[in-house]
C-alpha cells in the first residue's frame, strides 16, 4: 500500500523533539463532536506515574501546543524529582479558548482518555481548569488529583504553592543578604491571582514591602485593599526598585529585554519556565550577580499537595515536604557556587541524579 504524504502542516521532526526532550510517550486525544483536541505528554515514569495538570489554552498552532506539553511535562519530572516525591512528569494540554465554559460531557470525555492510560498519567488542574472541572473528570477516572475537598480531594493547591515560593524567597534572602526575616525587604510580585494572592499575604505578614502588578484590576485591588500592597503598572514591574522579583503570572518573563531592566538581586516566583532560554538567560543572571531560585524547585508546593491526595499524607507530612524547599534552595545555591554553574544547572543536576540512581537500582533489581 502506498501512503501518500500528507499536505497537513505539523512539526516534521516529532521524534527528534521527543528524543531531545527525552519523552517516553505522547498521546493525541480527539473527539470531533465535543470539539476536544488535546495532547498528553508523559515524560519520565522512573520515579512513579506521570503527574501534571491539564491546561486549556488557545494555541497559535498545533506545534505550539505540542512544544508546550513537552516542555511542561519535562518540567514536572524534575519538579517531583527534586522535591523527593515518587512521581514522574506528565502534562495535558487542550487546544481551545479557556474563557468558554465547558460542560460535564466534555470533561467526562477527557476523563475517559486519562482512564485509558491506566494510571501512567494522573491529571490535575492547571491554567484554565479547576477543582470543579476535576469533579467531572473523577466520574470517569480514578487517576485524578486536585479534587474538591468535599469530594475527598486536597482542594486548591495554590496556598501550598505560595508557601513553597515564600520559603524559596526566604532562603534566597538568607543567601544573598544573610538575613533570617523579610522585614523591610522589597518584593515585586507580578500576577496576584491564585498563588500571587497567598504569597502577598505571607510576605506582608512578615513585614516585607510588596509591589504588585496584575492585568486584572479586580485582582490588583484585592491585594491593595487587604494587604496594603503598592500597585504598579503591569509594564513597569521589571523596572521597580525591589530586592526580589517574584514572577507569578506567566513563563519566559526573564528574557533578553527584561534582564537589562531588572534592578533586583533575587528572582524567585511561582511561574513555570521563567527563563526564556534556560542556558543563556541562566548564565546571564549569574554574570549579572542576580540570584535565581529555580522555579521548578520552589513552586513544587502544588504537586506536593497532589501527592498528599494520592497517598493520604497527613497535613504534617505534607508541610514537612514543602518546608524542605528552604534547605534545598540553599543546597542548590551552595552547589552552584562550588561547581561554578548556574543555579538552574545545579538544581537540574540534583533532580537528574535522583532519577539516574533510581534507574540504576531498578536495572540492578530486575537483572537479579
Ligand atoms: P492565576 O491565573 O490564578 O493567576 C495569574 C495572574 O497573573 C492573574 O491574576 C492574571 O491576571 C495575572 N497576569 C497575567 N498576565 C499578566 C501580566 N502580563 N502582568 C501581570 N499580571 C498578569 O494563576 P496561578 O494559579 O496563580 O498561577 C500563577 C503561575 O504559577 C502560573 O504560571 C502557573 O503555571 C504557576 N504555578 C501555579 C501553581 C498553582 O498551584 N496554582 C503551581 C505551580 C506553578
Amino acid at each position: 500500500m502506498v501512503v501518500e504524504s500528507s499536505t497537513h502542516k505539523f512539526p516534521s521532526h516529532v521524534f527528534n523533539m521527543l528524543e531531545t526532550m527525552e519523552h517516553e510517550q505522547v498521546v493525541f486525544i480527539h473527539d470531533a463532536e465535543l470539539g476536544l483536541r488535546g495532547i498528553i505528554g508523559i515524560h519520565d515514569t522512573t520515579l512513579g506515574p506521570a503527574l501534571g495538570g491539564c491546561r486549556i489554552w488557545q494555541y497559535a498552532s498545533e506545534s505550539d501546543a505540542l512544544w508546550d506539553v513537552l516542555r511542561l511535562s519535562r518540567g514536572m519530572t524534575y519538579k517531583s524529582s527534586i522535591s523527593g516525591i515518587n512521581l514522574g512528569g506528565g502534562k495535558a494540554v487542550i487546544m481551545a479558548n479557556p474563557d468558554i465554559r465547558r460542560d460535564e460531557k466534555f470533561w467526562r470525555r477527557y476523563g475517559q482518555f486519562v482512564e485509558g492510560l491506566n494510571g501512567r498519567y494522573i491529571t490535575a488542574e492547571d491554567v484554565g481548569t479547576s477543582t470543579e472541572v476535576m469533579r467531572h473528570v473523577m466520574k470517569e477516572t480514578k487517576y485524578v488529583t486536585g479534587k474538591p475537598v468535599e469530594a475527598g480531594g486536597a482542594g486548591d493547591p495554590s496556598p501550598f504553592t505560595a508557601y513553597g515560593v515564600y520559603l524559596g524567597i526566604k532562603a534566597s534572602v538568607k543567601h544573598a543578604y544573610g538575613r533570617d526575616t523579610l522585614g523591610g525587604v522589597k518584593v515585586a510580585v507580578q500576577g496576584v491571582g491564585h498563588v500571587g494572592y497567598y504569597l502577598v499575604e505571607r510576605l506582608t505578614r512578615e513585614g516585607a514591602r510588596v509591589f504588585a502588578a496584575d492585568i486584572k484590576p479586580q485582582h490588583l485591588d484585592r491585594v491593595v485593599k487587604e494587604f496594603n500592597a503598592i500597585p504598579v503598572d503591569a509594564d513597569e514591574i521589571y523596572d521597580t526598585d525591589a530586592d526580589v522579583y517574584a514572577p507569578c503570572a506567566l513563563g519566559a518573563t526573564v528574557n533578553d529585554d527584561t534582564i537589562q531592566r531588572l534592578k533586583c538581586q533575587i528572582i524567585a516566583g511561582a511561574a513555570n519556565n521563567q527563563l526564556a532560554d534556560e542556558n543563556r538567560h541562566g548564565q546571564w543572571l549569574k554574570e549579572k550577580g542576580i540570584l535565581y531560585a529555580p522555579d521548578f524547585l520552589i513552586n513544587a508546593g502544588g504537586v506536593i499537595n497532589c501527592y498528599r491526595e494520592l497517598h493520604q499524607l497527613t497535613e504534617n507530612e505534607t508541610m514537612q515536604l514543602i518546608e524542605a524547599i528552604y534547605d534545598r534552595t540553599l543546597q542548590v545555591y551552595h552547589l552552584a557556587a562550588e561547581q561554578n554553574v548556574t543555579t538552574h544547572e545545579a538544581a537540574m543536576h540534583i533532580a537528574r541524579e535522583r532519577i539516574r540512581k533510581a534507574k540504576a537500582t531498578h536495572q540492578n533489581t530486575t537483572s537479579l
Side-chain angles (χ1 to χ4, degrees), residues 61-328:
S61 68
E62 291 167 14
S63 47
D64 281 3
L66 177 60
W67 180 241
D68 206 30
V69 81
L70 294 182
R71 242 170 19 113
L72 291 165
S73 50
R74 176 175 175 266
M76 289 306 295
T77 296
Y78 299 123
K79 188 182 297 200
S80 288
S81 175
I82 202 164
S83 305
I85 56 179
N86 295 328
L87 289 172
K91 204 86 181 184
V93 297
I94 291 178
M95 290 173 266
N97 182 349
D99 295 330
I100 295 173
R101 235 183 112 77
R102 283 164 182 86
D103 61 7
E104 175 169 346
K105 214 168 151 194
F106 184 93
W107 289 114
R108 288 184 72 154
R109 186 74 181 109
Y110 169 70
Q112 288 168 0
F113 285 119
V114 172
E115 178 67 17
L117 292 169
N118 209 18
R120 277 181 58 70
Y121 169 67
I122 302 174
T123 199
E125 62 179 88
D126 196 78
V127 177
T129 54
S130 61
T131 50
E132 279 316 302
V133 162
M134 296 309 139
R135 195 192 284 282
H136 301 315
V137 175
M138 66 185 275
K139 291 185 181 142
E140 300 292 342
T141 182
K142 55 185 171 300
Y143 304 116
V144 51
T145 59
K147 294 173 294 208
V149 175
E150 62 282 8
D156 178 10
S158 309
F160 299 90
T161 303
Y163 185 39
V165 172
Y166 155 79
L167 292 169
I169 292 176
K170 273 182 82 78
S172 305
V173 165
K174 173 77 178 170
H175 185 83
Y177 305 114
R179 294 183 49 178
D180 285 315
T181 105
L182 298 181
V185 173
K186 292 179 279 180
V187 187
V189 181
Q190 178 186 44
V192 283
H194 286 97
V195 180
Y197 172 84
Y198 292 109
L199 179 64
V200 173
E201 182 183 29
R202 284 199 178 267
L203 295 172
T204 49
R205 207 192 284 162
E206 200 170 308
R209 273 184 68 200
V210 172
F211 299 86
D214 201 296
I215 52 169
K216 289 191 179 159
Q218 68 273 29
H219 287 184
L220 190 57
D221 289 351
R222 200 170 52 156
V223 294
V224 170
K225 282 201 186 91
E226 292 184 32
F227 309 121
N228 281 327
I230 303 157
V232 176
D233 275 357
D235 292 341
E236 286 167 18
I237 195 78
Y238 306 108
D239 308 306
T240 309
D241 182 17
D243 304 302
V244 183
Y245 162 54
C248 298
L250 315 158
T253 63
V254 181
N255 53 42
D256 287 351
D257 168 45
T258 59
I259 295 182
Q260 302 190 51
R261 293 164 60 186
L262 286 170
K263 297 187 171 70
C264 60
Q265 289 266 301
I266 294 166
I267 298 176
N272 287 311
N273 302 318
Q274 291 165 23
L275 304 178
D277 180 325
E278 289 171 5
N279 298 326
R280 203 160 57 77
H281 295 127
Q283 188 59 34
W284 192 351
L285 292 178
K286 178 172 175 279
E287 283 160 16
K288 243 192 129 180
I290 297 179
L291 192 62
Y292 167 66
D295 46 15
F296 66 94
L297 162 62
I298 72 165
N299 74 8
V303 74
I304 292 172
N305 198 45
C306 290
Y307 190 65
R308 158 200 186 178
E309 187 174 326
L310 285 175
H311 293 274
Q312 312 287 308
L313 300 188
T314 62
E315 174 114 24
N316 207 13
E317 288 165 331
T318 313
M319 286 304 169
Q320 273 178 17
L321 281 170
I322 297 177
E323 277 158 11
I325 288 175
Y326 182 91
D327 284 342
R328 211 163 281 128

